[in-house]
Amino acid sequence: MMGSMLRDAIARNLRKPGATLVGRIVTGLLVKRNGTLEREAVRLCKIQPDRQVLELGFGPGLGIEAACQLVRGGKGKVYGVDFSEEMVIAATKRVKKDIDDGKVELINGDVADLSCFQSNTFDCVFHCNCYYFWPDIDKVARELHRVMKPDSLMVTTMSIERVKRIQALGFLRYANPDQTRYMKALESSGFCDVRSEKEKSEKSGKVYDAIFAKKSSS
């Protein structure tokens, strides 16, 4: 059976992958398991070439890479915020050319403090398997509402069934994947049309969960 110390190390690295053997293993799992969910989040955002886009908790950079492909032909730009230095390094390697071309900017920071961005900056925001690691979810929701433009969209993707299995194994001891809690925090912060829907990947056919939230136009 897996020892409690190893289980705890995996749980800590799921929240914030580090420069350790367990951190590298977790990073590999994120690349393998989150690819479809990252690309689906980007698809649901319906990103146009001139859009300003933000991903929270971008991990190895799969979603950043997918979003950047949609803004290369326009004036748009993709930003990412992640508090793991190792994930910033990994994602930077993945999208280095786009960073050099000025189409991507990656920031090592806390999503509860988006003071590096002005209010009403982003046309769309997305994140994948991320919100349940935010210790102050209400503060993050308020910051997201501030930096998003009126009539903008935020999408989060996850497989709640997979998350429940991981939680049952004890690997989410530093997380709270309660969808209702997250959605109530969004509504309390001013988001409207907050809803959860079952979606199906166009490529793989896998069913997953998506939570949508809009910032009103008024």
Side-chain angles (χ1 to χ4, degrees):
M1 294 180 65
M2 183 179 296
S4 60
M5 290 182 65
L6 178 56
R7 195 184 303 274
D8 186 71
I10 293 172
R12 283 187 284 104
N13 278 276
L14 281 171
R15 177 176 177 267
K16 184 180 182 181
T20 63
L21 175 59
V22 174
R24 289 193 291 272
I25 292 172
V26 167
T27 299
L29 289 172
L30 293 176
V31 172
K32 183 178 180 180
R33 298 291 187 181
N34 278 4
T36 295
L37 291 173
E38 290 278 5
R39 289 186 287 271
E40 285 297 302
V42 170
R43 181 181 69 83
L44 293 173
C45 282
K46 299 180 180 179
I47 298 169
Q48 300 299 312
D50 293 336
R51 297 289 175 87
Q52 300 297 306
V53 182
L54 172 64
E55 180 178 12
L56 306 171
F58 53 77
L62 300 172
I64 296 288
E65 182 179 44
C68 191
Q69 292 174 4
L70 301 176
V71 301
R72 284 181 186 147
K75 298 177 182 178
K77 185 171 180 178
V78 180
Y79 295 81
V81 177
D82 197 301
F83 81 147
S84 167
E85 293 180 7
E86 291 305 306
M87 292 299 91
V88 175
I89 292 170
T92 296
K93 292 177 180 177
R94 184 177 295 275
V95 294
K96 186 177 185 307
K97 185 179 185 304
D98 292 306
I99 292 174
D100 293 342
D101 291 341
K103 302 302 289 184
V104 170
E105 183 175 339
L106 302 180
I107 297 167
N108 182 203
D110 188 342
V111 297
D113 179 10
L114 299 177
S115 56
C116 54
F117 301 120
Q118 295 183 350
S119 299
N120 304 319
T121 294
F122 296 105
D123 298 286
C124 53
V125 175
F126 69 96
H127 46 100
C128 167
N129 283 322
C130 178
Y131 73 83
Y132 42 78
F133 291 117
W134 300 341
D136 191 340
I137 200 165
D138 295 294
K139 185 176 181 181
V140 177
R142 290 193 297 269
E143 273 291 83
L144 289 172
H145 190 270
R146 180 185 67 80
V147 301
M148 291 172 64
K149 293 179 181 179
D151 205 32
S152 58
L153 175 69
M154 180 164 64
V155 175
T156 182
T157 55
M158 61 190 297
S159 170
I160 190 63
E161 294 305 318
R162 184 195 298 170
V163 169
K164 287 179 179 178
R165 291 196 297 270
I166 296 172
Q167 187 177 34
L169 292 171
F171 295 134
L172 289 182
R173 61 184 63 178
Y174 300 109
N176 184 351
D178 185 347
Q179 288 181 315
T180 301
R181 171 175 169 266
Y182 169 59
M183 295 170 73
K184 285 183 177 179
L186 295 179
E187 291 174 336
S188 297
S189 300
F191 284 96
C192 63
D193 195 20
V194 179
R195 67 192 193 280
S196 176
E197 295 184 2
K198 291 289 185 183
E199 298 283 344
K200 189 174 184 178
S201 168
E202 292 183 341
K203 186 174 182 179
S204 69
K206 292 182 179 179
V207 176
Y208 62 94
D209 302 275
I211 297 174
F212 301 85
K214 289 188 68 176
K215 180 175 179 178
S216 68
S217 56
S218 58

